[in-house]
Amino acid sequence: MLNSLGFAKPPAETRVVVAMSGGVDSSVTAALLKDEGYDVVGITLQLYDYGAALRKGACCAGQDIYDAATVAERIGIPHYVLDYESRFKDQVIEEFADSYARGETPIPCVRCNQTVKFRDLLATARDLGAEALATGHYVQRRLGPHGPELVRGADAGRDQSYFLFATTSDQLDFLRFPLGHLSKPETRDLAQRYGLSVHDKPDSQDICFVPDGDYASIVKRLRPEAAEPGEIVDLAGQVVGKHQGVIHYTIGQRRGLGLGAEVSGGEPLFVIRLEPNRRRVVVGPRSALGRDIVHLKDVNWLGGPETDVACTVKLRSAQAPAPARLTRNADGSGTLHLAAPQHGIAPGQAAVFYDGDRVLGGGWISGTGLSDAVEAA
């Protein structure tokens, strides 16, 4: 008979490492598993140290390490803090800055899951003799005919599958997500039941290493060239304004352009593309944003052997899935053909593929285009 994590042994003989960020979700994950009798070890990663500049409530800040240790003591499990600061800087923060300097719109949370957490921490968990690494993500794992599958969280409003698209099949075999079937209110109720001090701790809203959400100041410090001023031009190349650095803009952006009605003729203007090498921001009407071809790189595939497959795709985390057809190539690249043009598709973001509630994989957006049919319309 299998235990709740899928192992043919009693929970007490099953060691599980829990990634404890100091928030309510990972704390409840540890408490649930301990309550079921598992041999639980809590690990918190120190990812950065900006001292007084850190926002209280940011993931893995000093307060969060203290909160994780307090929860571990409360539920009676060993707890360790690992210094991953240099890894986080190299693999997440530096890549974040590089991406903005290239005129992209990065998602550092995905990079963190892809590298520091689900690669490095997972290896550490194995070194500790664990048979699973559990996290507090709102996503589900189920066994399919060909092995474990990644599935959206039961609570659509909390689903975090978009941010876990880069999880590999080997990693998914080792990972467990005990909260995937719960809603956030149910998780907070459990935290109160277990007497956890973090039961009412607010969720972190912004990128964890960016104080007050001011990502531009981080990028400016690391890549000052990305903050150099330049021109705002229309689709014909006519200069219509000035900007203070391409890092302040993303494709699809409307606000903050500082262009008067006399420039736009009364029609709202949007960022159509960024040209960082020329330090230019190109603007135009919303109609110029529509794209139905999406080029991808570094595709992670969790589906079957097909290289051409119908699916739905999310092009931003808060966007509803849209019908598409995916073509995958042997070199890890791919092309999405959307059933209808989408607006504001930005390089550096992720395209995540679904078959119903199952995650088929995802890739990084490297560019966009228009099909002949749409361009002729």
Side-chain angles (χ1 to χ4, degrees):
M1 182 175 179
L2 302 180
N3 62 33
S4 64
L5 295 182
F7 299 102
K9 60 174 67 177
E13 298 176 15
T14 308
R15 174 165 290 182
V16 186
V17 165
V18 177
M20 299 182 68
S21 68
V24 63
D25 299 326
S26 59
S27 296
V28 169
T29 297
L32 271 174
L33 294 173
K34 174 64 176 178
D35 191 32
E36 290 183 30
Y38 287 98
D39 176 12
V40 179
V41 177
I43 291 183
T44 301
L45 304 181
Q46 179 179 314
L47 300 180
Y48 52 85
D49 183 10
Y50 293 156
L54 287 170
R55 293 177 297 105
K56 185 177 180 181
C59 169
C60 302
Q63 179 64 43
D64 299 308
I65 293 173
Y66 173 81
D67 289 342
T70 300
V71 168
E73 183 177 10
R74 165 72 182 177
I75 63 178
I77 64 170
H79 175 252
Y80 304 98
V81 179
L82 303 182
D83 183 0
Y84 275 26
E85 187 174 344
S86 62
R87 304 185 196 199
F88 186 74
K89 181 178 185 297
D90 292 342
Q91 299 171 11
V92 179
I93 298 179
E94 294 286 347
E95 170 58 27
F96 173 81
D98 284 340
S99 184
Y100 262 112
R102 291 192 297 264
E104 299 173 346
T105 306
I107 318 175
C109 296
V110 175
R111 290 293 187 193
C112 184
N113 289 329
Q114 184 180 23
T115 57
V116 174
K117 292 182 180 176
F118 288 177
R119 186 185 66 199
D120 297 347
L121 178 57
L122 192 146
T124 298
R126 283 197 167 108
D127 289 343
L128 290 172
E131 292 172 89
L133 171 65
T135 77
H137 288 101
Y138 288 89
V139 68
Q140 299 182 86
R141 174 189 180 276
R142 71 183 177 203
L143 290 178
H146 303 292
E149 299 174 347
L150 188 63
V151 181
R152 281 193 277 206
D155 182 350
R158 297 296 304 184
D159 170 51
Q160 293 174 297
S161 60
Y162 180 88
F163 299 99
L164 300 183
F165 82 85
T167 306
T168 67
S169 295
D170 286 344
Q171 292 168 346
L172 192 57
D173 191 53
F174 194 73
L175 289 163
R176 299 295 187 274
F177 309 104
L179 304 188
H181 65 292
L182 299 177
S183 67
K184 187 69 175 213
E186 289 172 324
T187 298
R188 291 198 182 277
D189 287 345
L190 283 170
Q192 281 193 299
R193 194 179 89 190
Y194 288 124
L196 306 183
S197 59
V198 296
H199 68 88
D200 60 351
K201 186 174 181 177
D203 293 334
S204 179
Q205 299 295 322
D206 297 317
I207 298 171
C208 68
F209 59 88
V210 181
D212 302 320
D214 185 11
Y215 65 87
S217 66
I218 300 289
V219 180
K220 183 177 180 180
R221 177 169 59 84
L222 295 173
R223 303 292 183 271
E225 68 278 6
E228 293 178 359
E231 297 172 338
I232 301 176
V233 302
D234 63 18
L235 292 173
Q238 184 73 30
V239 177
V240 296
K242 303 289 184 181
H243 67 78
Q244 296 302 310
V246 294
I247 58 174
H248 298 285
Y249 302 92
T250 186
I251 291 176
Q253 179 177 332
R254 176 183 174 186
R255 299 190 180 192
L257 296 178
L259 302 176
E262 67 278 5
V263 171
S264 64
E267 184 178 10
L269 292 176
F270 298 80
V271 175
I272 305 301
R273 67 177 181 271
L274 301 174
E275 299 177 351
N277 292 337
R278 304 173 71 179
R279 301 202 304 275
R280 297 207 314 183
V281 175
V282 181
V283 298
R286 187 176 186 274
S287 59
L289 281 171
R291 298 288 188 273
D292 68 333
I293 297 176
V294 183
H295 302 293
L296 307 170
K297 63 180 181 179
D298 300 331
V299 172
N300 179 59
W301 185 247
L302 295 171
E306 301 85 4
T307 57
D308 187 86
V309 61
C311 62
T312 60
V313 61
K314 291 181 71 169
L315 299 169
R316 287 189 182 265
S317 61
Q319 187 181 63
R325 177 162 288 277
L326 169 69
T327 302
R328 296 189 297 118
N329 303 316
D331 63 357
S333 65
T335 304
L336 278 167
H337 294 269
L338 305 176
Q342 300 290 318
H343 294 79
I345 305 172
Q349 292 280 294
V352 181
F353 329 125
Y354 295 87
D355 177 11
D357 62 353
R358 182 189 174 190
V359 181
L360 295 175
W364 296 101
I365 298 171
S366 59
T368 60
L370 278 174
S371 64
D372 293 340
V374 170
E375 197 162 15

